[in-house]
Structures are given as C-alpha cells and as structure tokens.
C-alpha cells in the first residue's frame, strides 16, 4: 500500500525533514515507487508537486528538499500502485475546489465497490478508487453545508462521519486538508506526533539525517506530523486505533472521532 505524510502547524514551517524520510520510502527504503506528491498550502490555495515516478530517485523531489517552502499545512504521499496505472492523473494528492478554497486528499488502501458510491458535482479524472472515494466524500460533505462552516469542527465531524461510511467498503486511511485544518482517518495504521517546547534532536528511521529542533524553532512553535509509519526512531509517536479520525488545528490535536 501507499504511505501518507501530513503536517499542520501554528507558525509557517518547512516539511523538508519529514519529506526526506517519506521520499526514502518511495523506492529506496520501501516499495512505494509508483509516484509521489506534495501539497503545500498558502492560505486557501495549495502549491502542488506531482510526479508518477519514484520519489527516492526524483530530481524534482530533491529540488523540493533543497528549496524549503514554509507552510501551515502540508499533505504528501508516496504510491504503491494497486488500482489504476502509473500516471500523473492517478498520482496523489488530489485537489478539488469547494466554497472558494482547495481541498487536498491523499489515501492509503483500497475501497472495494467504490463506484457504487454516489457522486455529486465532483468527478474523478483518473482511474483510482482513491480519487473516486475523494469525490464521493467531498460531494457528501458539500451537500450538508451551504458554505464553509463558521465552526471548522462541524466540517471535520462531517468528514469523519462520511469517511467512516465510505470506509466500510475497504481500507480507507486518508489525509484531507482544507487550508484551515488537517483531518486524518485511520482505517488500519496511522501515527502522529506533536513537536513543541522543549524541543529535542530527532533522527530519521530510514535516512542518516538528524535535526536539532531546538536550534531551528522558537518556544512558541508547535508542529503536528502525521504518518503511516513513524518517520523517526528516537521520538514517541502515538498510534491511532483503527476507526479513529484525528483533527489538527494550529499544531494541536483538536478533536478525535471514533467510528
């Protein structure tokens, strides 16, 4: 299956360290060599990098690592193909516009009988079950609200409920960002960590790369990182219970939904 990476912060932060760990699993330290993608939010819009190739060997992925872009919210993915050929249109994360902002989605797993799901105004471009499920999820959420809710928590709860419904048809681990919050659903496997003061050293599990977060942060910084598997070997990551949906805002775990 694929691997997911998300970051949500209270101050603009670059994702270079975590992305280096994920990219290593994209063809060198892991079998996820069928494409990679990275979405970096700037307000309501997301800057998107996509490539239907192995991240570990990609000059574009190396360029992203060597030219840090700070953001409050990021979603990344490395793909191991299960459904749909290796191609740009089948590369995660997927993006759709709703209520004047971009929603970004990345999925790990397989949703069986996905084409039985009702679609609204959102249509898939590629042939993956992932993109089809995203369109169905976003269409269901769009039918509940006339615009972006004043309380983002209401939207997150709706995403969690529809995600649980769609997830009954298979494995539906996903990350969904809307520029204001990151929603992370665990169907089988997902982990997170919140980095905050007092900061310490961290070393990637799959690369000989360490960082002293105390040297590159301020005491008020707070960064939540979500990944399929822990990216570092010397930090205490928290594993999600299957069926759990986490919601992150301003670098904190803001809500947890079960079901």
């Amino acid at each position: 299956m694929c691997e997911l990476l998300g970051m949500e912060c209270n101050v603009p932060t670059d994702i270079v360290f975590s992305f280096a760990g994920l990219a290593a699993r994209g063809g060198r330290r892991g079998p996820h060599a069928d494409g990679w993608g990275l979405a970096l939010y700037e307000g309501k819009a997301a800057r998107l990098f996509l490539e239907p190739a192995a991240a570990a060997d990609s000059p574009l992925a190396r360029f992203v690592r060597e030219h840090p872009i700070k953001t409050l919210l990021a979603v990344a993915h490395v793909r191991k193909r299960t459904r749909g050929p290796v191609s740009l249109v089948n590369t995660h994360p997927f993006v759709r516009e709703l209520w004047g902002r971009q929603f970004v989605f990345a999925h790990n797993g397989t949703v069986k009988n996905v084409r039985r799901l009702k679609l609204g105004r959102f249509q898939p471009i590629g042939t993956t079950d992932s993109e089809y499920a995203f369109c169905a999820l976003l269409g269901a959420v769009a039918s509940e609200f006339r615009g972006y809710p004043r309380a983002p928590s209401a939207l997150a709860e709706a995403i969690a409920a529809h995600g649980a419904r769609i997830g009954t048809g298979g494995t539906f681990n996903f990350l969904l960002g809307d520029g204001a919050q990151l929603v992370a659903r665990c169907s089988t496997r997902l982990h997170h960590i919140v980095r905050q003061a007092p900061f310490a050293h961290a070393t990637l599990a799959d690369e000989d790369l360490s960082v002293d977060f105390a040297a590159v942060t301020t005491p008020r910084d707070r960064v939540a990182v979500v990944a399929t598997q822990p990216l570092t070997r010397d930090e205490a990551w928290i594993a999600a219970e299957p069926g759990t949906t986490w919601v992150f805002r301003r670098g904190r775990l803001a809500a947890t939904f079960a079901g």
Side-chain angles (χ1 to χ4, degrees), residues 165-191:
R165 172 179 57 81
I166 294 170
T168 60
T171 304
F172 201 38
N173 303 292
F174 69 76
L175 300 179
L176 191 152
D178 65 13
Q181 60 188 347
L182 176 65
V183 181
R185 182 177 193 274
C186 175
S187 175
T188 54
R189 187 183 304 159
L190 203 64
H191 299 76

Side-chain angles (χ1 to χ4, degrees), residues 17-18 21 24-25 29 193 195 201-211 213 227 229-237:
F17 179 69
S18 296
R25 296 175 181 177
R29 301 290 186 180
I193 189 169
R195 296 185 178 122
H201 280 82
T203 306
L204 290 177
D206 301 292
E207 288 282 270
D208 186 19
L209 181 63
S210 300
V211 64
F213 286 114
Q229 294 275 37
L231 291 168
T232 56
R233 59 174 180 257
D234 46 8
E235 294 182 294
W237 291 73

